[in-house]
Amino acid sequence: MSLSVESRVVQGQQPQEQPAETATGPGARGSGRTGAALRGLGLAVGLAALVLVGLLSVWVGTRGIPFTATWDALWNPDGSETSVIIHDYRIPRTLLGVLVGLALGLAGALMQALTRNPLADPGMLGVNLGASAGVVVAIAFFGVAAPLGYVWFALAGAAAASIGVYLLGSSGRKLASPERLVVAGAAVTAVLYAFNWAVLLLNPRAFDQFRFWTVGSLAGRYYDIVVMALPFIGTGLVLALVLAPSLNALAMGDQMGRALGVNVGRTRALGAVAVMLLCGAATAAAGPIGFVGLAVPHIARFVVGPDQRWVFAYSMLIAPVLLLGSDVLGRVLGAPGELQVGIVTAFIGAPLFIALCRRRKLVML
């Protein structure tokens, strides 16, 4: 738990050979126009939920502000204390929560589709540990203290780790298969983990700063962080959506994908780039936030079935709702301070994921 920024001012496939998966979820039961209409209706409901949670994020905080005053300050900024809290702290925090949630949810769905592994998460390619290594270097060796300063180091670390994993997974005469990428990601993650803790344990000052970043939080992030993350997340979003049809074909296996005209190597390479951009920017902006990228794609598949186009769309809505909702809950539970969103998502996401695992058997994608 920590004192909030506001308080200090006043004083965010189908399984290979598993046809039964196509019948999973209420959204998958319809077919043709009826199924598309139901899924479209679900998207509208998800968008409404996101708007509602966004308004709650602007209204609810450690500093109690009546809803009428919040609504008035939202549309009529006048430089008052309430207006400053709403416009300079809560709105950028909410926007960042939407961006980070969208990025983590989409990166998780993309990662699971690329590896055909239902337990894959965005950190499997070493992105999270790469970003962490960049922050460790920034704090320990360059004395960077502000989030905007080490955010660029985090992006560079995430990019370097992703490139290293892909080069290691595609070394030799074979292409970067899902299995090779997972093994390469585990190896790079282990090396980076050892590097981070070796540096931090020898540098208590760096450890003290790093522990506040590594827990994952949307607090203390302003418009400059939002502007920094937006182009990277936007590029990753476009790449992921373009790859969705190819990933549907690859769900039936590499040979069938090639027969349907998919360039397997290029698809995996671009997918890895998209994961790096999405997860790297999100982690750099808010710190490592767990379970969102792992659990949300399963919720989306439970609702709409294995079609990656719909899974991506639903993941982009469900994840921000979960992340912003967790952030609001952390402000309420931790008052007069707050619980960081990374802690709350772990408490919410872990039981939710366990419940999904118990409800239906997780199969290879």
Side-chain angles (χ1 to χ4, degrees), residues 327-339:
D327 190 41
V328 172
L329 186 60
R331 299 180 219 174
V332 173
L333 295 178
E338 64 180 67
L339 291 173

Side-chain angles (χ1 to χ4, degrees), residues 10 15 74 76 109 111 179 206 211 218 256 324-325 341:
V10 175
L74 182 62
N76 302 291
M111 190 67 214
E179 296 80 9
R211 65 190 178 94
L218 300 177
M256 182 62 71
L324 277 182
V341 68

Side-chain angles (χ1 to χ4, degrees), residues 9-20:
V9 170
V10 175
Q11 178 42 251
Q13 326 307 340
Q14 180 165 310
Q16 192 175 4
E17 301 179 5
Q18 291 282 350

